[in-house]
């Protein structure tokens, strides 16, 4: 009798596959697409925010230098900052060989608007190389602002 019962058992029957219209709930699929779009948008926002980290780093460095009481040291360090940043922004140009007025004209051509060769920026070409002695009075904030404007005009 038990063998008859075992013979009457059938294997597990799977239900038929649902039609395509019933597979996903279209509202749920729309929510998933919306979440995907939000993630992509967040990625673009983060990328935009982090686009120029070298510019922000150079700007912070220039602002820290503005606190230096020694004007000659300020001019030397700002000039070094500009030269390093310019070499990264313009690798095809021979920046290392530029000095004096050629260097200032290069800065004017690439975003200085004439303020380096005919304005406050002139001190960057001469002041770092003067012998120690009576310091020239330079507005640290104005010189630093000029350097920051040049940096912002040349994002990499």
């Amino acid at each position: 009798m038990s063998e008859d019962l075992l013979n009457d058992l059938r294997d597990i029957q799977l239900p038929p596959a649902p039609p395509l219209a019933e597979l996903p709930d279209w509202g749920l699929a729309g929510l998933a697409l919306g979440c995907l779009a939000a993630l992509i948008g967040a990625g673009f926002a983060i990328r935009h925010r982090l686009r120029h980290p070298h510019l922000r780093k150079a700007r912070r460095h220039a602002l820290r230098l503005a606190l230096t009481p020694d004007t000659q040291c300020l001019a030397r360090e700002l000039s070094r900052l500009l030269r390093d940043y310019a070499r990264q922004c313009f690798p095809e140009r021979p920046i290392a060989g530029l000095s004096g007025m050629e260097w200032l004209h290069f800065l004017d051509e690439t975003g200085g608007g004439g303020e380096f060769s005919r304005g406050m920026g002139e001190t960057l070409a001469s002041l770092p190389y003067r012998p120690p002695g009576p310091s020239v009075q330079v507005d640290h904030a104005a010189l630093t602002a000029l350097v920051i404007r040049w940096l912002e005009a040349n994002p990499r």
Side-chain angles (χ1 to χ4, degrees), residues 120-156:
M120 174 68 66
E122 275 185 301
T123 58
L124 293 177
S126 59
L127 190 59
Y129 307 105
R130 288 188 182 175
S135 180
V136 175
Q137 295 295 14
V138 174
D139 184 3
H140 288 210
L143 185 59
T144 304
L146 174 62
V147 169
I148 289 174
R149 279 194 307 274
W150 187 87
L151 292 171
E152 289 173 347
N154 295 289
R156 295 193 284 162

Side-chain angles (χ1 to χ4, degrees), residues 54-71:
H54 301 290
L55 173 61
R56 282 195 295 281
K57 182 179 176 185
R59 188 183 312 132
R60 278 195 308 269
H61 185 61
L63 289 172
R64 275 195 303 273
L65 288 173
L67 302 174
T68 305
D70 182 9
T71 303

Side-chain angles (χ1 to χ4, degrees), residues 31-92:
L31 180 63
L33 285 175
C35 288
L36 181 63
L39 285 174
I40 291 172
F44 278 115
I46 290 170
R47 180 176 170 250
H48 177 72
R49 178 147 172 80
L50 300 176
R51 179 173 253 163
H52 303 293
H54 301 290
L55 173 61
R56 282 195 295 281
K57 182 179 176 185
R59 188 183 312 132
R60 278 195 308 269
H61 185 61
L63 289 172
R64 275 195 303 273
L65 288 173
L67 302 174
T68 305
D70 182 9
T71 303
Q72 201 167 14
C73 178
L74 173 70
R76 183 175 49 248
E77 292 302 315
L78 286 177
S79 186
R80 182 177 299 148
L81 172 70
L82 283 171
R83 194 171 293 275
D84 290 343
Y85 194 81
R87 276 199 313 259
Q88 293 171 2
C89 288
F90 304 99
E92 72 282 353

